Amino acid sequence: MNFAGEVRQAVTPRAALLVLGVLVLQLLFIASYVGALHRPVPTDVPFGVVAPPQASQQLVTDLDGLPGGPLDPRTVDDAAEARRQIMNREIDGALVVNPTGTTDTLFVASGGGSALATSLEKITTAAVAQQRRTVRTVDLAPASSDDFDGLSSFYLVVGWCVGGYLCASILAISAGSRPANLRRALIRTLVMAVYSVLGGIGGAIIVGPVLGALPGSLWGLAGLGALVVFATGMITLALQALTGIVGIGLAVLIIVIAGNPSAGGAFPLPMLPDFWRAIGPALPPGAGTWVARSIAYFRGNAVTGSLLVLSAWAVAGTALTLLLSLRHKRRHAAGTGGTDGNAGTPRPSPGTSGSTGTPPGGAHTA
């Protein structure tokens, strides 16, 4: 056999297409991560301003006009309201002007992302310095000393997502990526649910009691973990049922390539470029990271929208998986109707011998 023949046997056309797909995913991975994270710059950060009425609007205008547009300032009635809005994650920081002195107060929440809190401190310090004023920073939701840069929530959710799509991939490829019937799809869904509960509890125990990396409710994090794993796993099963082994690549595209860099983990959402900032909250890693930080540092506030996103992925994945199994079952029945399961092979009539020549009434081997 010549070399060309050896190549054709070693790399089939199907394998060549899959390798090409992997190359595309590799390049998209590089483009997405580097594109999202190579130059984190705060842009339009929701920011409160508490100042005397005669100075409030002018200060908002000045902050809004800073080069590069790092802040999206708005007037807040008083310091208590600024605190409330930060803890409800409506704004990321607030400047409280001291009407009787030259030292103002900056409220931040490093639990929502230390990089953003540090950037807000630098921006406001430079801005008020032009008026010969100084800033005193107060962290309303400080990140745990064992949660460097507030990254533990992000890595926890990434671990849950990885477990979800890996478990789903194993369940699917172990017996073919297209479910043969509804029963198999239901069994896979049940296994995925059990795995999700165990993964959620295990992850919460590791970051909580074991490592002490995240404060907040253990069972709140465990519940979140179960939802993240299940949502990720079921959408992976659905994609595999729809497209076969290609579904694994599509799951990687959605969860890893698009989801992880846009999750607001390494850098909070206001520090990401517009495209990643827009898609992040709608994908499981971003929604999960937001909820994990809210549970850990913001008393569980502002989680409804993100939980609905995760639930939508879970419901859509489950429904699509089950519907595709029904469609496959109908196609299988149509293709084998009136046959013994092998297309074009008629079933033996009662009282006649089968294809093996077994006489009527004789022993028959399945």
Side-chain angles (χ1 to χ4, degrees):
M1 182 181 295
N2 59 25
F3 180 72
E6 291 285 357
V7 170
R8 283 193 296 270
Q9 286 196 359
V11 184
T12 65
R14 182 171 182 268
L17 287 175
L18 290 174
V19 169
L20 180 60
V22 171
L23 175 61
V24 172
L25 288 178
Q26 173 184 296
L27 298 178
L28 287 174
F29 185 99
I30 296 170
S32 184
Y33 275 74
V34 177
L37 307 176
H38 76 289
R39 188 173 176 266
V41 178
T43 307
D44 293 329
V45 180
F47 190 78
V49 174
V50 180
Q54 63 274 18
S56 177
Q57 191 54 51
Q58 183 59 50
L59 181 55
V60 167
T61 300
D62 292 342
L63 293 175
D64 192 38
L66 291 175
L71 303 179
D72 179 17
R74 72 284 309 267
T75 301
V76 178
D77 292 339
D78 52 38
E81 176 63 13
R83 287 175 176 269
R84 186 196 69 80
Q85 290 190 22
I86 289 175
M87 293 307 296
N88 284 340
R89 310 197 73 179
E90 298 172 19
I91 58 177
D92 292 306
L95 179 65
V96 181
V97 176
N98 183 357
T100 61
T102 59
T103 300
D104 302 326
T105 301
L106 172 67
F107 290 154
V108 297
S110 62
S114 298
L116 181 58
T118 301
S119 295
L120 289 177
E121 186 173 11
K122 291 179 180 179
I123 291 167
T124 53
T125 298
V128 302
Q130 299 177 7
Q131 306 298 324
R132 297 186 178 181
R133 302 179 69 85
T134 58
V135 168
R136 177 179 67 95
T137 301
V138 176
D139 196 341
L140 301 182
S144 166
S145 58
D146 293 317
D147 180 15
F148 178 75
D149 275 355
L151 291 173
S152 297
S153 300
F154 171 59
Y155 288 126
L156 172 63
V157 172
V158 168
W160 280 330
C161 288
V162 169
Y165 71 72
L166 285 181
C167 178
S169 299
I170 292 170
L171 288 174
I173 65 177
S174 63
S177 59
R178 298 178 187 273
N181 51 49
L182 180 60
R183 179 180 297 176
R184 181 181 297 173
L186 287 171
I187 291 173
R188 290 177 179 175
T189 301
L190 178 60
V191 172
M192 197 70 243
V194 173
Y195 176 88
S196 300
V197 171
L198 295 176
I201 295 173
I205 290 175
I206 290 172
V207 300
V210 175
L211 298 178
L214 287 180
S217 168
L218 171 66
W219 292 110
L221 287 174
L224 169 65
L227 181 56
V228 170
V229 176
F230 188 72
T232 305
M234 290 313 300
I235 201 65
T236 303
L237 281 177
L239 290 171
Q240 290 170 331
L242 183 64
T243 64
I245 195 171
V246 175
I248 297 176
L250 294 176
V252 170
L253 176 64
I254 293 171
I255 304 300
V256 179
I257 294 176
N260 286 355
S262 65
F267 299 104
L269 290 175
M271 302 185 73
L272 300 180
D274 291 342
F275 173 75
W276 287 269
R277 186 191 303 198
I279 67 172
L283 299 176
T289 298
W290 178 275
V291 176
R293 282 177 171 164
S294 290
I295 292 173
Y297 298 115
F298 296 91
R299 304 168 189 164
N301 294 329
V303 299
T304 302
S306 295
L307 289 177
L308 288 175
V309 167
L310 291 169
S311 299
W313 282 101
V315 170
T318 303
L320 191 57
T321 299
L322 298 180
L323 288 174
L324 288 171
S325 71
L326 289 173
R327 187 183 71 172
H328 184 81
K329 180 180 180 180
R330 286 195 297 268
R331 287 183 175 178
H332 180 75
T336 60
T339 71
D340 64 359
N342 297 315
T345 304
R347 291 194 183 98
S349 301
T352 63
S353 62
S355 60
T356 58
T358 304
H364 177 73
T365 303

